[in-house]
Coordinates of all heavy atoms in Angstrom, one line a residue:
M1 N 16.2 -15.2 -2.8 CA 14.9 -15.0 -2.2 C 14.9 -15.2 -0.7 O 13.9 -15.1 0.0 CB 13.9 -15.8 -2.8 CG 13.5 -15.4 -4.3 SD 12.9 -13.8 -4.3 CE 11.3 -14.1 -5.1
S2 N 16.0 -15.7 -0.1 CA 16.1 -16.0 1.3 C 15.9 -14.7 2.2 O 15.7 -14.8 3.4 CB 17.3 -16.7 1.6 OG 18.4 -15.9 1.4
D3 N 16.1 -13.5 1.6 CA 16.0 -12.3 2.4 C 14.6 -11.8 2.4 O 14.3 -10.8 3.2 CB 16.9 -11.2 1.7 CG 18.4 -11.5 1.8 OD1 18.7 -12.3 2.7 OD2 19.1 -10.9 1.1
E4 N 13.6 -12.4 1.8 CA 12.3 -11.8 1.8 C 11.6 -12.2 3.1 O 11.9 -13.3 3.7 CB 11.4 -12.3 0.6 CG 11.0 -13.7 0.7 CD 10.2 -14.1 -0.6 OE1 10.3 -13.4 -1.6 OE2 9.4 -15.0 -0.4
S5 N 10.7 -11.4 3.6 CA 10.1 -11.5 4.9 C 8.9 -12.6 4.8 O 8.0 -12.4 4.0 CB 9.5 -10.2 5.4 OG 8.6 -10.4 6.4
P6 N 8.9 -13.6 5.7 CA 7.8 -14.5 5.7 C 6.5 -13.8 6.0 O 5.4 -14.2 5.5 CB 8.2 -15.5 6.8 CG 9.7 -15.4 7.0 CD 10.0 -13.9 6.6
M7 N 6.5 -12.8 6.8 CA 5.3 -12.1 7.2 C 4.7 -11.4 6.0 O 3.5 -11.4 5.8 CB 5.6 -11.1 8.3 CG 5.8 -11.8 9.6 SD 5.8 -10.7 11.0 CE 7.5 -10.0 10.8
L8 N 5.6 -10.7 5.2 CA 5.1 -10.1 3.9 C 4.6 -11.2 3.0 O 3.6 -11.0 2.3 CB 6.2 -9.2 3.3 CG 6.5 -7.9 4.0 CD1 7.6 -7.2 3.3 CD2 5.2 -7.0 4.0
R9 N 5.3 -12.2 2.8 CA 4.9 -13.3 1.9 C 3.5 -13.8 2.2 O 2.8 -14.1 1.3 CB 6.0 -14.5 2.0 CG 5.9 -15.4 0.8 CD 7.0 -16.4 0.8 NE 8.2 -16.0 1.5 CZ 8.7 -16.7 2.5 NH1 8.2 -17.8 3.0 NH2 9.8 -16.3 3.2
D10 N 3.2 -13.9 3.5 CA 1.8 -14.3 4.0 C 0.7 -13.4 3.5 O -0.4 -13.8 3.5 CB 1.8 -14.5 5.5 CG 2.5 -15.7 6.0 OD1 2.9 -16.5 5.2 OD2 2.8 -15.7 7.2
L11 N 1.1 -12.1 3.1 CA 0.1 -11.1 2.7 C -0.1 -11.2 1.2 O -1.0 -10.5 0.7 CB 0.6 -9.7 3.1 CG 0.5 -9.5 4.6 CD1 1.1 -8.1 5.0 CD2 -0.9 -9.6 5.2
I12 N 0.7 -11.9 0.5 CA 0.6 -12.0 -1.0 C -0.8 -12.5 -1.4 O -1.3 -13.4 -0.8 CB 1.6 -12.9 -1.6 CG1 3.0 -12.2 -1.5 CG2 1.4 -13.1 -3.1 CD1 4.2 -13.0 -1.9
G13 N -1.5 -11.7 -2.3 CA -2.8 -12.0 -2.7 C -3.9 -11.2 -1.9 O -5.1 -11.2 -2.2
Q14 N -3.5 -10.6 -0.8 CA -4.3 -9.8 0.0 C -4.4 -8.3 -0.4 O -3.4 -7.8 -1.0 CB -3.9 -9.9 1.5 CG -3.8 -11.2 2.1 CD -5.1 -11.8 2.4 OE1 -6.0 -11.1 2.9 NE2 -5.3 -13.1 2.1
V15 N -5.5 -7.7 -0.2 CA -5.5 -6.2 -0.4 C -4.9 -5.6 0.8 O -5.2 -5.9 2.0 CB -7.0 -5.7 -0.6 CG1 -7.0 -4.2 -0.8 CG2 -7.6 -6.4 -1.8
V16 N -3.9 -4.7 0.6 CA -3.2 -4.1 1.7 C -3.1 -2.5 1.6 O -3.4 -2.0 0.5 CB -1.7 -4.6 1.7 CG1 -1.7 -6.1 2.0 CG2 -1.0 -4.3 0.5
V17 N -2.8 -1.9 2.7 CA -2.5 -0.5 2.8 C -1.0 -0.4 3.1 O -0.5 -1.0 4.1 CB -3.3 0.2 3.9 CG1 -2.9 1.7 4.0 CG2 -4.8 0.0 3.7
V18 N -0.2 0.3 2.3 CA 1.2 0.5 2.5 C 1.4 2.0 2.8 O 1.2 2.9 1.9 CB 2.0 0.1 1.2 CG1 3.5 0.3 1.5 CG2 1.7 -1.4 0.9
D19 N 1.8 2.3 4.0 CA 2.2 3.7 4.4 C 3.6 3.9 4.0 O 4.5 3.0 4.4 CB 1.9 3.9 5.9 CG 0.4 3.8 6.2 OD1 -0.3 4.7 5.7 OD2 0.0 2.9 7.0
L20 N 3.9 5.0 3.4 CA 5.3 5.3 3.0 C 5.9 6.5 3.8 O 5.1 7.3 4.4 CB 5.3 5.6 1.5 CG 4.8 4.4 0.6 CD1 4.5 4.9 -0.8 CD2 5.8 3.3 0.6
I21 N 7.1 6.6 3.9 CA 7.8 7.7 4.6 C 7.4 9.0 4.0 O 7.2 10.0 4.8 CB 9.4 7.5 4.4 CG1 9.8 6.3 5.2 CG2 10.1 8.7 4.9 CD1 11.3 5.9 4.9
S22 N 7.2 9.1 2.7 CA 6.9 10.3 2.1 C 5.4 10.7 2.2 O 4.7 10.1 3.1 CB 7.2 10.1 0.6 OG 6.3 9.2 0.0
T23 N 4.9 11.5 1.4 CA 3.5 12.0 1.4 C 2.6 11.0 0.7 O 1.5 11.4 0.3 CB 3.4 13.4 0.9 OG1 3.8 13.4 -0.5 CG2 4.1 14.4 1.7
Y24 N 3.0 9.8 0.4 CA 2.2 8.9 -0.3 C 1.7 7.7 0.6 O 2.3 7.3 1.6 CB 3.1 8.2 -1.4 CG 3.4 9.2 -2.6 CD1 4.5 10.0 -2.5 CD2 2.6 9.2 -3.7 CE1 4.8 10.8 -3.5 CE2 2.9 10.0 -4.8 CZ 4.0 10.9 -4.7 OH 4.3 11.7 -5.7
V25 N 0.6 7.2 0.1 CA 0.1 5.9 0.6 C -0.3 5.1 -0.6 O -0.7 5.7 -1.6 CB -1.1 6.1 1.6 CG1 -2.4 6.6 0.9 CG2 -1.5 4.8 2.3
C26 N -0.2 3.8 -0.5 CA -0.6 2.9 -1.6 C -1.6 1.8 -1.1 O -1.3 1.2 -0.1 CB 0.6 2.3 -2.3 SG 0.3 1.6 -3.9
L27 N -2.7 1.7 -1.8 CA -3.6 0.6 -1.5 C -3.8 -0.3 -2.7 O -3.9 0.2 -3.8 CB -5.0 1.2 -1.2 CG -5.0 2.3 0.0 CD1 -4.9 3.6 -0.6 CD2 -6.3 2.1 0.7
G28 N -3.8 -1.6 -2.5 CA -3.9 -2.5 -3.6 C -3.6 -3.9 -3.2 O -3.4 -4.2 -2.0
T29 N -3.6 -4.8 -4.2 CA -3.4 -6.2 -3.9 C -1.9 -6.5 -4.0 O -1.2 -6.2 -5.0 CB -4.1 -7.1 -5.0 OG1 -5.5 -6.8 -4.9 CG2 -3.9 -8.6 -4.7
L30 N -1.3 -7.0 -2.9 CA 0.1 -7.4 -2.9 C 0.3 -8.6 -3.8 O -0.2 -9.7 -3.5 CB 0.5 -7.7 -1.4 CG 2.0 -8.0 -1.2 CD1 2.9 -6.8 -1.7 CD2 2.3 -8.4 0.2
A31 N 1.1 -8.4 -4.8 CA 1.3 -9.5 -5.8 C 2.6 -10.1 -5.6 O 2.8 -11.3 -6.1 CB 1.2 -8.9 -7.2
G32 N 3.6 -9.4 -5.0 CA 4.9 -10.1 -4.8 C 5.8 -9.2 -3.9 O 5.5 -8.0 -3.6
V33 N 6.8 -9.9 -3.4 CA 7.8 -9.2 -2.5 C 9.2 -9.8 -2.8 O 9.3 -11.0 -3.1 CB 7.4 -9.3 -1.1 CG1 7.2 -10.8 -0.6 CG2 8.3 -8.6 -0.1
D34 N 10.2 -9.0 -2.8 CA 11.5 -9.5 -2.9 C 12.4 -8.6 -1.9 O 11.8 -7.8 -1.1 CB 12.1 -9.5 -4.3 CG 12.3 -8.1 -4.9 OD1 12.4 -7.1 -4.1 OD2 12.5 -8.0 -6.1
P35 N 13.6 -8.8 -1.8 CA 14.4 -8.1 -0.8 C 14.4 -6.5 -1.0 O 14.7 -5.8 0.0 CB 15.8 -8.6 -1.0 CG 15.7 -10.0 -1.5 CD 14.4 -9.9 -2.4
L36 N 14.0 -6.1 -2.2 CA 14.0 -4.6 -2.4 C 12.6 -4.0 -2.6 O 12.5 -2.8 -2.3 CB 14.9 -4.3 -3.6 CG 16.4 -4.7 -3.5 CD1 17.1 -4.4 -4.9 CD2 17.1 -3.9 -2.4
F37 N 11.7 -4.7 -3.1 CA 10.4 -4.1 -3.5 C 9.2 -4.9 -3.1 O 9.3 -6.1 -2.9 CB 10.4 -4.0 -5.1 CG 11.3 -3.1 -5.7 CD1 12.6 -3.5 -6.2 CD2 11.0 -1.7 -5.8 CE1 13.5 -2.6 -6.7 CE2 11.9 -0.8 -6.3 CZ 13.2 -1.3 -6.8
L38 N 8.1 -4.2 -3.0 CA 6.8 -4.7 -2.9 C 6.1 -4.5 -4.2 O 6.3 -3.4 -4.8 CB 5.9 -4.1 -1.8 CG 6.3 -4.1 -0.4 CD1 5.3 -3.3 0.5 CD2 6.3 -5.6 0.1
E39 N 5.4 -5.4 -4.8 CA 4.7 -5.2 -6.0 C 3.2 -5.3 -5.7 O 2.7 -6.2 -5.1 CB 5.0 -6.4 -7.0 CG 4.2 -6.3 -8.3 CD 4.3 -7.5 -9.2 OE1 4.9 -8.5 -8.8 OE2 3.9 -7.4 -10.4
L40 N 2.5 -4.2 -6.1 CA 1.1 -4.1 -5.9 C 0.4 -4.0 -7.2 O 0.9 -3.4 -8.2 CB 0.7 -2.9 -5.1 CG 0.6 -3.1 -3.5 CD1 2.0 -3.3 -3.0 CD2 -0.1 -2.0 -2.8
R41 N -0.8 -4.7 -7.4 CA -1.6 -4.6 -8.6 C -2.9 -3.9 -8.3 O -3.4 -3.9 -7.1 CB -1.9 -6.1 -9.1 CG -0.6 -6.9 -9.5 CD -0.1 -6.3 -10.8 NE 1.1 -7.1 -11.2 CZ 1.3 -7.4 -12.4 NH1 0.5 -7.1 -13.4 NH2 2.4 -8.1 -12.7
D42 N -3.5 -3.4 -9.3 CA -4.8 -2.6 -9.2 C -4.7 -1.7 -8.0 O -5.5 -1.7 -7.1 CB -5.9 -3.6 -9.1 CG -6.1 -4.5 -10.3 OD1 -5.8 -4.1 -11.4 OD2 -6.4 -5.7 -10.1
A43 N -3.7 -0.9 -8.1 CA -3.3 -0.1 -6.9 C -3.8 1.4 -7.0 O -3.9 1.9 -8.1 CB -1.8 -0.1 -6.7
D44 N -4.0 2.0 -5.9 CA -4.2 3.4 -5.8 C -3.0 4.0 -5.1 O -2.8 3.8 -3.9 CB -5.5 3.7 -5.0 CG -5.8 5.1 -4.7 OD1 -5.0 6.0 -5.2 OD2 -6.7 5.4 -3.9
L45 N -2.2 4.7 -5.8 CA -1.0 5.4 -5.3 C -1.4 6.8 -5.1 O -1.7 7.5 -6.1 CB 0.2 5.3 -6.2 CG 1.5 6.0 -5.7 CD1 2.0 5.3 -4.4 CD2 2.5 5.9 -6.8
H46 N -1.6 7.3 -3.8 CA -2.1 8.6 -3.5 C -1.1 9.5 -2.9 O -0.5 9.1 -1.9 CB -3.3 8.5 -2.6 CG -4.0 9.8 -2.3 ND1 -4.7 10.5 -3.3 CD2 -3.9 10.6 -1.3 CE1 -5.2 11.6 -2.7 NE2 -4.6 11.7 -1.5
D47 N -1.0 10.7 -3.4 CA -0.1 11.8 -2.8 C -1.0 12.7 -2.1 O -1.8 13.4 -2.7 CB 0.7 12.5 -4.0 CG 1.7 13.5 -3.5 OD1 1.7 13.8 -2.3 OD2 2.4 14.0 -4.3
F48 N -0.7 12.9 -0.8 CA -1.5 13.8 0.0 C -1.4 15.3 -0.3 O -2.2 16.1 0.1 CB -1.3 13.5 1.5 CG -1.8 12.1 1.9 CD1 -0.9 11.1 2.0 CD2 -3.1 11.9 2.0 CE1 -1.3 9.8 2.3 CE2 -3.6 10.6 2.3 CZ -2.7 9.6 2.4
R49 N -0.4 15.6 -1.1 CA -0.2 17.0 -1.5 C -1.3 17.4 -2.5 O -1.5 18.5 -2.8 CB 1.2 17.2 -2.1 CG 2.3 17.1 -1.0 CD 3.6 17.2 -1.7 NE 3.8 16.1 -2.6 CZ 4.9 15.9 -3.3 NH1 5.9 16.6 -3.2 NH2 5.0 14.8 -4.1
D50 N -2.0 16.3 -3.1 CA -3.0 16.6 -4.1 C -4.4 16.8 -3.5 O -5.4 17.0 -4.3 CB -3.1 15.4 -5.1 CG -1.8 15.3 -5.9 OD1 -1.1 16.2 -6.0 OD2 -1.6 14.1 -6.4
G51 N -4.5 16.8 -2.2 CA -5.9 17.0 -1.6 C -5.8 17.5 -0.2 O -4.7 17.6 0.4
A52 N -6.9 17.7 0.4 CA -7.0 18.2 1.8 C -7.1 17.1 2.8 O -6.9 17.3 4.0 CB -8.1 19.1 1.9
A53 N -7.4 15.9 2.4 CA -7.6 14.8 3.3 C -6.3 14.3 4.0 O -5.3 14.2 3.3 CB -8.3 13.6 2.6
T54 N -6.4 14.0 5.2 CA -5.2 13.4 5.9 C -5.1 11.9 5.5 O -5.9 11.4 4.8 CB -5.4 13.4 7.4 OG1 -6.5 12.6 7.8 CG2 -5.6 14.8 7.9
R55 N -4.0 11.3 5.8 CA -3.7 9.9 5.5 C -4.8 9.0 6.1 O -5.4 8.2 5.4 CB -2.4 9.5 6.1 CG -1.9 8.1 5.7 CD -0.6 7.8 6.3 NE 0.4 8.7 5.9 CZ 1.3 8.5 5.0 NH1 1.3 7.4 4.3 NH2 2.2 9.4 4.6
E56 N -5.2 9.2 7.3 CA -6.2 8.4 8.0 C -7.5 8.6 7.3 O -8.3 7.6 7.0 CB -6.3 8.8 9.5 CG -5.1 8.3 10.2 CD -3.8 9.2 10.1 OE1 -4.0 10.3 9.6 OE2 -2.8 8.7 10.4
V57 N -7.9 9.8 7.0 CA -9.2 10.1 6.4 C -9.3 9.4 5.0 O -10.3 8.8 4.6 CB -9.5 11.6 6.3 CG1 -10.7 11.9 5.4 CG2 -9.8 12.2 7.7
Y58 N -8.2 9.6 4.2 CA -8.2 9.0 2.9 C -8.3 7.5 3.0 O -9.1 6.9 2.2 CB -6.9 9.4 2.2 CG -6.9 8.9 0.7 CD1 -7.6 9.8 -0.2 CD2 -6.4 7.7 0.3 CE1 -7.6 9.4 -1.6 CE2 -6.5 7.3 -1.0 CZ -7.1 8.1 -1.9 OH -7.2 7.8 -3.3
V59 N -7.6 6.8 3.9 CA -7.7 5.4 4.0 C -9.1 5.0 4.5 O -9.7 4.0 3.9 CB -6.6 4.8 4.9 CG1 -6.8 3.4 5.2 CG2 -5.2 5.1 4.3
Y60 N -9.7 5.7 5.5 CA -11.0 5.3 5.9 C -12.0 5.5 4.8 O -12.9 4.7 4.7 CB -11.4 6.3 7.1 CG -10.7 6.1 8.4 CD1 -10.6 7.2 9.2 CD2 -10.0 5.0 8.7 CE1 -9.8 7.1 10.4 CE2 -9.3 4.9 9.9 CZ -9.2 5.9 10.7 OH -8.5 5.8 11.9
E61 N -11.9 6.5 4.0 CA -12.8 6.7 2.9 C -12.7 5.6 1.9 O -13.7 5.1 1.3 CB -12.6 8.1 2.2 CG -13.1 9.3 3.0 CD -12.8 10.6 2.3 OE1 -12.1 10.6 1.3 OE2 -13.2 11.6 2.8
S62 N -11.5 5.2 1.6 CA -11.2 4.0 0.7 C -11.9 2.8 1.2 O -12.4 1.9 0.5 CB -9.7 3.9 0.5 OG -9.2 5.0 -0.2
V63 N -11.8 2.5 2.5 CA -12.4 1.3 3.1 C -14.0 1.4 2.9 O -14.6 0.5 2.5 CB -12.1 1.2 4.6 CG1 -13.0 0.1 5.3 CG2 -10.6 0.9 4.8
S64 N -14.5 2.6 3.1 CA -16.0 2.8 3.0 C -16.4 2.8 1.5 O -17.5 2.2 1.2 CB -16.4 4.1 3.6 OG -16.1 4.1 5.0
L65 N -15.7 3.4 0.6 CA -16.1 3.6 -0.8 C -15.5 2.7 -1.8 O -15.9 2.6 -2.9 CB -15.8 5.1 -1.2 CG -16.4 6.2 -0.4 CD1 -15.9 7.5 -0.8 CD2 -18.0 6.1 -0.4
G66 N -14.4 2.0 -1.3 CA -13.6 1.2 -2.2 C -12.4 1.8 -2.7 O -12.3 3.0 -2.8
I67 N -11.5 1.0 -3.2 CA -10.2 1.5 -3.7 C -10.4 2.0 -5.1 O -11.2 1.4 -5.9 CB -9.1 0.4 -3.7 CG1 -8.8 0.0 -2.3 CG2 -7.9 0.8 -4.4 CD1 -7.9 -1.2 -2.2
R68 N -9.8 3.2 -5.4 CA -9.9 3.8 -6.7 C -8.6 3.6 -7.4 O -7.7 4.4 -7.3 CB -10.3 5.3 -6.6 CG -11.6 5.4 -5.9 CD -11.8 6.8 -5.3 NE -10.9 6.9 -4.1 CZ -11.3 7.3 -2.9 NH1 -12.5 7.8 -2.8 NH2 -10.4 7.3 -1.9
P69 N -8.4 2.4 -8.1 CA -7.1 2.2 -8.7 C -6.7 3.2 -9.8 O -7.5 3.6 -10.6 CB -7.3 0.8 -9.4 CG -8.5 0.2 -8.8 CD -9.4 1.4 -8.4
N70 N -5.4 3.6 -9.7 CA -4.9 4.5 -10.8 C -3.6 3.9 -11.3 O -2.9 4.5 -12.1 CB -4.7 5.9 -10.3 CG -3.8 6.0 -9.0 OD1 -3.0 5.1 -8.7 ND2 -4.0 7.0 -8.2
R71 N -3.2 2.7 -10.9 CA -2.1 2.0 -11.4 C -2.4 0.5 -11.6 O -3.0 -0.1 -10.7 CB -0.9 2.0 -10.4 CG -0.4 3.4 -10.0 CD 0.4 4.1 -11.1 NE 1.1 5.3 -10.6 CZ 0.6 6.5 -10.4 NH1 -0.7 6.6 -10.6 NH2 1.3 7.5 -10.1
T72 N -2.1 -0.1 -12.7 CA -2.3 -1.5 -12.9 C -1.2 -2.2 -12.1 O -1.5 -3.3 -11.5 CB -2.1 -1.9 -14.4 OG1 -3.1 -1.2 -15.1 CG2 -2.3 -3.4 -14.6
R73 N 0.0 -1.7 -12.1 CA 1.1 -2.3 -11.3 C 2.0 -1.2 -10.8 O 2.3 -0.2 -11.5 CB 1.9 -3.2 -12.2 CG 3.1 -3.9 -11.6 CD 3.8 -4.7 -12.6 NE 4.9 -5.5 -12.0 CZ 6.2 -5.4 -12.5 NH1 6.5 -4.7 -13.5 NH2 7.1 -6.1 -11.9
V74 N 2.4 -1.4 -9.5 CA 3.4 -0.4 -9.0 C 4.4 -1.2 -8.1 O 4.0 -2.1 -7.4 CB 2.6 0.7 -8.1 CG1 1.9 0.1 -6.9 CG2 3.5 1.8 -7.7
L75 N 5.6 -0.8 -8.2 CA 6.7 -1.3 -7.3 C 7.0 -0.3 -6.3 O 7.3 0.9 -6.6 CB 7.9 -1.7 -8.2 CG 7.7 -2.7 -9.2 CD1 9.0 -2.9 -10.0 CD2 7.3 -4.0 -8.7
L76 N 7.0 -0.7 -5.0 CA 7.4 0.2 -3.9 C 8.7 -0.2 -3.3 O 8.8 -1.4 -2.9 CB 6.2 0.2 -2.9 CG 4.8 0.6 -3.4 CD1 3.8 0.3 -2.3 CD2 4.8 2.0 -3.9
R77 N 9.6 0.7 -3.1 CA 10.8 0.3 -2.4 C 10.6 0.0 -0.9 O 10.0 0.8 -0.2 CB 11.8 1.4 -2.5 CG 12.5 1.6 -3.8 CD 13.5 2.7 -3.9 NE 13.6 3.6 -2.7 CZ 14.7 4.0 -2.1 NH1 15.9 3.7 -2.7 NH2 14.7 4.7 -1.1
L78 N 11.0 -1.1 -0.5 CA 10.8 -1.5 0.9 C 11.5 -0.5 1.8 O 11.0 -0.3 3.0 CB 11.4 -2.9 1.2 CG 10.5 -4.1 0.8 CD1 11.2 -5.4 0.9 CD2 9.3 -4.1 1.7
A79 N 12.6 0.1 1.4 CA 13.3 1.1 2.3 C 12.4 2.3 2.5 O 12.6 3.0 3.5 CB 14.6 1.5 1.5
D80 N 11.4 2.5 1.8 CA 10.4 3.7 1.9 C 9.2 3.3 2.7 O 8.3 4.2 2.9 CB 10.1 4.3 0.5 CG 11.3 4.8 -0.2 OD1 12.2 5.3 0.5 OD2 11.2 4.8 -1.4
V81 N 9.0 2.0 3.0 CA 7.8 1.6 3.7 C 7.9 1.8 5.2 O 8.9 1.4 5.8 CB 7.5 0.1 3.3 CG1 6.4 -0.5 4.1 CG2 7.3 -0.1 1.8
V82 N 6.8 2.4 5.8 CA 6.7 2.5 7.2 C 5.9 1.4 7.8 O 6.2 0.8 8.8 CB 6.0 3.9 7.5 CG1 5.7 4.0 9.0 CG2 6.9 5.0 7.1
A83 N 4.7 1.0 7.1 CA 3.8 0.0 7.6 C 3.1 -0.6 6.4 O 2.8 0.0 5.4 CB 2.9 0.6 8.5
V84 N 2.8 -1.9 6.6 CA 1.9 -2.7 5.7 C 0.8 -3.3 6.6 O 1.1 -4.0 7.5 CB 2.7 -3.8 4.9 CG1 1.8 -4.5 4.0 CG2 3.9 -3.2 4.2
S85 N -0.4 -3.1 6.2 CA -1.5 -3.8 6.9 C -2.6 -4.3 5.9 O -2.7 -3.7 4.8 CB -2.1 -2.8 7.9 OG -2.5 -1.6 7.3
R86 N -3.3 -5.2 6.3 CA -4.4 -5.7 5.5 C -5.5 -4.7 5.4 O -5.8 -4.0 6.5 CB -5.0 -7.0 6.1 CG -4.2 -8.2 5.9 CD -5.0 -9.5 6.4 NE -4.2 -10.7 6.1 CZ -3.4 -11.3 6.9 NH1 -3.2 -10.8 8.1 NH2 -2.8 -12.3 6.5
F87 N -6.0 -4.4 4.3 CA -7.1 -3.4 4.0 C -8.3 -3.7 4.9 O -8.8 -2.8 5.5 CB -7.5 -3.5 2.6 CG -8.4 -2.4 2.1 CD1 -8.0 -1.1 2.0 CD2 -9.7 -2.7 1.8 CE1 -8.8 -0.1 1.6 CE2 -10.6 -1.8 1.3 CZ -10.1 -0.4 1.2
G88 N -8.6 -5.0 5.1 CA -9.8 -5.3 5.9 C -9.6 -5.2 7.4 O -10.5 -5.2 8.2
E89 N -8.3 -4.9 7.8 CA -8.0 -4.7 9.2 C -7.9 -3.2 9.6 O -7.4 -2.9 10.8 CB -6.8 -5.5 9.6 CG -7.0 -7.0 9.5 CD -5.8 -7.8 9.8 OE1 -4.6 -7.3 9.9 OE2 -5.9 -9.0 9.9
V90 N -8.2 -2.3 8.7 CA -8.2 -0.9 9.1 C -9.4 -0.6 10.0 O -10.5 -1.0 9.7 CB -8.3 -0.1 7.8 CG1 -8.5 1.4 8.2 CG2 -7.1 -0.3 6.9
A91 N -9.1 -0.1 11.2 CA -10.1 0.2 12.1 C -10.8 1.5 11.7 O -10.2 2.6 11.5 CB -9.5 0.4 13.5
I92 N -12.1 1.4 11.6 CA -13.0 2.6 11.3 C -13.5 3.2 12.6 O -14.1 2.5 13.4 CB -14.2 2.1 10.4 CG1 -13.6 1.5 9.1 CG2 -15.0 3.3 10.0 CD1 -12.8 2.4 8.2
A93 N -13.2 4.4 12.8 CA -13.7 5.1 14.0 C -15.1 5.4 13.9 O -15.7 5.6 13.0 CB -12.9 6.4 14.2

């Protein structure tokens, strides 16, 4: 466990937005982190190919309307993560 990031560990228990390299974004509660994966609970894993909204619009709508969970638990490969931010720190334009 010495390879896990202290910054990510500090976010455990927080609702986060995880931007991925692919056409996906994931919103949910960060439940755990190890050297390979992030674990999110009560998560919304969204593929932008399924709708017309951009990543930013989808996240803004989720902040306004609430997260719509479609996964009880999801593991995300850290190698695919571009950014992790607290849900409450998303700037609404």
Side-chain angles (χ1 to χ4, degrees):
M1 291 297 239
S2 62
D3 290 342
E4 75 181 25
S5 166
M7 289 188 285
L8 285 175
R9 199 174 335 122
D10 288 345
L11 293 174
I12 292 175
Q14 302 286 319
V15 178
V16 295
V17 177
V18 181
D19 292 296
L20 301 165
I21 292 170
S22 64
T23 59
Y24 288 87
V25 68
C26 193
L27 302 92
T29 302
L30 183 61
V33 59
D34 72 16
L36 298 176
F37 292 97
L38 296 177
E39 176 187 11
L40 273 68
R41 297 287 181 142
D42 300 321
D44 174 7
L45 180 62
H46 182 76
D47 184 350
F48 292 99
R49 295 174 297 183
D50 293 339
T54 66
R55 183 179 304 262
E56 289 77 16
V57 168
Y58 189 83
V59 172
Y60 294 156
E61 286 177 355
S62 295
V63 169
S64 298
L65 303 173
I67 295 175
R68 297 158 289 226
N70 56 22
R71 305 282 192 283
T72 301
R73 178 180 184 236
V74 65
L75 298 176
L76 304 171
R77 285 182 352 138
L78 277 171
D80 297 330
V81 173
V82 173
V84 178
S85 53
R86 284 186 176 94
F87 187 71
E89 293 177 349
V90 172
I92 303 295

